[in-house]
Amino acid sequence: MKKKVAFYTLGCKLNFSETSTIARDFEEEGFLRVDFTERADMYVINTCSVTENADKRFKTIVKQAQKLNSEAFIAAVGCYAQLKPEELGAVDGVDLVLGATEKFKITDYINDLSKNEFGEIHSCEIEDANFYVGSYAIGDRTRAFLKVQDGCDYKCTYCTIPLARGISRSDTLENVLKNAAEIASKAIKEIVLTGVNIGDYGKGEFGNKKHKHTFLDLVQALDKVQGIHRLRISSIEPNLLKNETIAFVAQSNSFVPHFHIPLQSGSNTLLKAMRRRYLKELYVDRVMEIKQQMPHACIGVDVIVGFPGETEAEFLETYHFLNELDISYLHVFTYSERDNTVAASMEGVVPKNVRTKRSKMLRGLSVKKRRAFYESQLGSKRTVLFEGENKAGYIHGFTENYVKVKAPWNPHLVNTLHAIQLKEIDQDGLVRFDFEVENIEA
């Protein structure tokens, strides 16, 4: 009988794309992939270390696997495994820990799946993580995450990602287009571009620091791939989102009017302390340029609260800055100290209860911003891509500009595109709609 393997992914879309690639390697070796809620012979946990909460969740997930099969072989890979391999190897039940480069060779490290007395660790020096491994994830029938870039050369004072993933490097344009065509051949309607710093695409494409191609070259080439209905940019630094890219997205065949742009703070003092590569005035310019080219565009924002030295006045500066900005929603991160970062030793530590309060205020602002954006779209005609899950008798989907809608469950709608008119916002904060026409796929 085939050995069974299950996977659990913590963290970002990039992790999901890499988990899928690792899973396909197991399937090629003759393993049967099962859901993480099922009994398996081996469990692989792809870790994240962006926040303290992601660290803590790892132990909980290991215990879940042990409850399903106390004799199962458990492997930890990913960012946390690179940063603190000994810590993960010491967790009861963990048999194997693989760092940044070793995770893509995991099948080379497993033999008979016998439990180890102590966690076996294979972790490289991060300087050795200088080669690129392409990947993509097919999480459901409607959407795929396509990795185009890895690593980061930025030195933000709060961030461990350069320590966990290494230098900025890119997939070749040829391979990105090949992967995109493979995804399109599977009848998947939407591709989300992922990476650590995708605006830096092209650096390290052929093993050196020079840019063979730019991010604009990438989006222009992807826009020509046949069979892709939607392309979405996951997250891009404001200083790397150029006017030319915005203008191209505004008139492209496949790229949708949705941008996620990290801000982190509305205080220039804090942006400098974070070693971000822009000031808030540039951020305003990016938002205004997008809205001028695409008034209906959705703009999401990452923001950190409780960074060392953040005064009440500076937090309020961020709050009012975001309140006045024409953005659509926020992803709010409560600052947590990360080992081996500059920020961890900075003065002016913000008490945790104050961090929690500020986080709650910004999450409330996000609800307000999202509703205002949804209200601005009422009466407009959009295209919705329906997803595959039945949630309490409803099917959900997103318009091209990331308005979440719902309709009574109908399995025939799964993975189909429909023209709709946005009608009203319901008590769940979602939008009800009327069908304009039937399935509009080419």
Side-chain angles (χ1 to χ4, degrees):
M1 291 179 65
K2 285 186 175 183
K3 295 287 187 181
K4 295 180 180 179
V5 60
F7 298 85
Y8 195 105
T9 305
L10 290 161
C12 60
K13 296 180 178 70
L14 179 57
N15 271 6
F16 278 93
S17 72
E18 292 180 343
T19 297
S20 284
T21 295
I22 293 168
R24 286 192 288 274
D25 289 341
F26 271 93
E27 289 169 348
E28 288 176 5
E29 293 290 331
F31 282 77
L32 176 65
R33 183 178 182 178
V34 298
D35 191 81
F36 202 85
T37 59
E38 297 179 39
R39 181 183 174 88
D41 301 289
M42 180 174 181
Y43 294 91
V44 180
I45 305 169
N46 194 352
T47 64
C48 170
S49 193
V50 171
T51 66
E52 186 179 18
N53 185 50
D55 291 357
K56 290 178 178 177
R57 284 186 63 196
F58 174 76
K59 291 181 181 179
T60 302
I61 296 160
V62 170
K63 288 179 181 177
Q64 289 175 5
Q66 289 176 306
K67 285 182 181 178
L68 291 164
N69 182 5
S70 61
E71 295 302 312
F73 191 90
I74 299 176
V77 302
C79 292
Y80 192 15
Q82 173 64 34
L83 291 173
K84 296 190 175 182
E86 291 82 9
E87 190 174 302
L88 291 194
V91 173
D92 182 48
V94 173
D95 300 288
L96 179 66
V97 180
L98 299 180
T101 60
E102 292 82 2
K103 63 187 175 185
F104 295 109
K105 300 177 286 186
I106 184 172
T107 55
D108 294 341
Y109 288 99
I110 56 175
N111 296 311
D112 59 357
L113 299 186
S114 297
K115 297 289 289 179
N116 291 327
E117 185 177 355
F118 302 103
E120 182 182 331
I121 296 170
H122 298 276
S123 182
C124 68
E125 294 297 322
I126 197 59
E127 291 78 13
D128 296 333
N130 55 11
F131 59 90
Y132 188 86
V133 177
S135 58
Y136 62 84
I138 301 172
D140 53 37
R141 288 171 53 196
T142 62
R143 181 179 296 107
F145 301 129
L146 173 59
K147 175 183 171 184
V148 300
Q149 184 272 342
D150 200 352
C152 188
D153 292 341
Y154 287 10
K155 298 293 187 287
C156 299
T157 55
Y158 53 83
C159 186
T160 59
I161 290 176
L163 301 175
R165 285 189 168 270
I167 61 173
S168 179
R169 54 208 189 273
S170 308
D171 203 351
T172 63
L173 185 59
E174 179 184 20
N175 197 54
V176 171
L177 297 178
K178 179 181 75 70
N179 286 340
E182 283 181 14
I183 294 168
S185 71
K186 300 178 189 297
I188 291 167
K189 303 295 192 296
E190 179 174 307
I191 293 177
V192 182
L193 304 185
T194 68
V196 175
N197 189 358
I198 63 173
D200 202 28
Y201 176 81
K203 183 181 285 187
E205 186 179 349
F206 291 100
N208 56 54
K209 298 300 287 182
K210 293 182 179 179
H211 279 76
K212 172 68 175 176
H213 296 98
T214 66
F215 185 70
L216 179 59
D217 294 333
L218 174 71
V219 299
Q220 288 174 333
L222 282 168
D223 203 48
K224 297 175 183 175
V225 176
Q226 295 297 310
I228 302 175
H229 294 265
R230 286 182 176 181
L231 285 156
R232 197 178 296 274
I233 300 169
S234 62
S235 179
I236 185 167
E237 294 286 309
N239 53 302
L240 296 176
L241 178 57
K242 307 298 185 183
N243 286 350
E244 295 83 1
T245 301
I246 295 170
F248 182 80
V249 169
Q251 56 80 47
S252 79
N253 298 317
S254 305
F255 278 89
V256 295
H258 175 208
F259 296 85
H260 194 93
I261 314 170
L263 169 67
Q264 311 309 9
S265 176
S267 161
N268 281 341
T269 301
L270 290 178
L271 288 174
K272 291 174 183 177
M274 293 175 175
R275 293 185 191 165
R276 301 292 287 164
R277 298 196 178 192
Y278 55 87
L279 298 177
K280 66 180 183 180
E281 289 77 13
L282 182 139
Y283 199 94
V284 172
D285 288 345
R286 300 299 88 215
V287 171
M288 290 179 65
E289 184 68 25
I290 292 168
K291 286 296 186 176
Q292 183 177 340
Q293 300 263 2
M294 296 163 275
H296 61 297
C298 178
I299 302 176
V301 183
D302 286 342
V303 61
I304 296 171
V305 297
F307 185 80
E310 182 185 63
T311 64
E312 186 70 15
E314 286 166 338
F315 167 72
L316 291 175
E317 184 181 0
T318 296
Y319 184 95
H320 294 306
F321 177 75
L322 290 166
N323 190 37
E324 294 166 8
L325 204 58
D326 192 5
I327 51 100
S328 312
Y329 65 89
L330 306 174
H331 281 176
V332 183
F333 296 88
T334 304
Y335 173 77
S336 59
E337 288 77 3
R338 305 280 80 195
D339 290 344
N340 301 314
T341 61
V342 174
S345 59
M346 284 183 174
E347 296 181 351
V349 174
V350 178
K352 296 220 172 155
N353 64 317
V354 175
R355 300 184 208 181
T356 301
K357 174 187 172 186
R358 292 175 182 175
S359 178
K360 186 176 180 179
M361 285 180 65
L362 281 183
R363 288 193 169 97
L365 178 62
S366 181
V367 172
K368 171 186 164 185
K369 282 288 185 179
R370 191 184 296 272
R371 187 174 183 92
F373 175 65
Y374 280 16
E375 287 176 348
S376 75
Q377 299 302 300
L378 293 179
S380 65
K381 295 179 181 179
R382 299 285 172 235
T383 303
V384 62
L385 172 59
F386 287 105
E387 299 182 348
E389 190 174 355
N390 183 343
K391 294 183 178 179
Y394 287 93
I395 188 170
H396 294 85
F398 284 94
T399 65
E400 64 273 30
N401 61 338
Y402 214 55
V403 174
K404 190 173 185 179
V405 301
K406 73 177 186 179
W409 170 252
N410 180 346
H412 298 296
L413 292 178
V414 173
N415 198 33
T416 63
L417 289 157
H418 286 262
I420 62 171
Q421 183 171 38
L422 302 178
K423 185 179 178 183
E424 63 176 324
I425 300 174
D426 73 5
Q427 68 272 14
D428 297 324
L430 305 182
V431 176
R432 296 177 182 272
F433 57 88
D434 289 328
F435 284 104
E436 283 293 299
V437 295
E438 285 305 301
N439 191 312
I440 63 169
E441 295 168 38

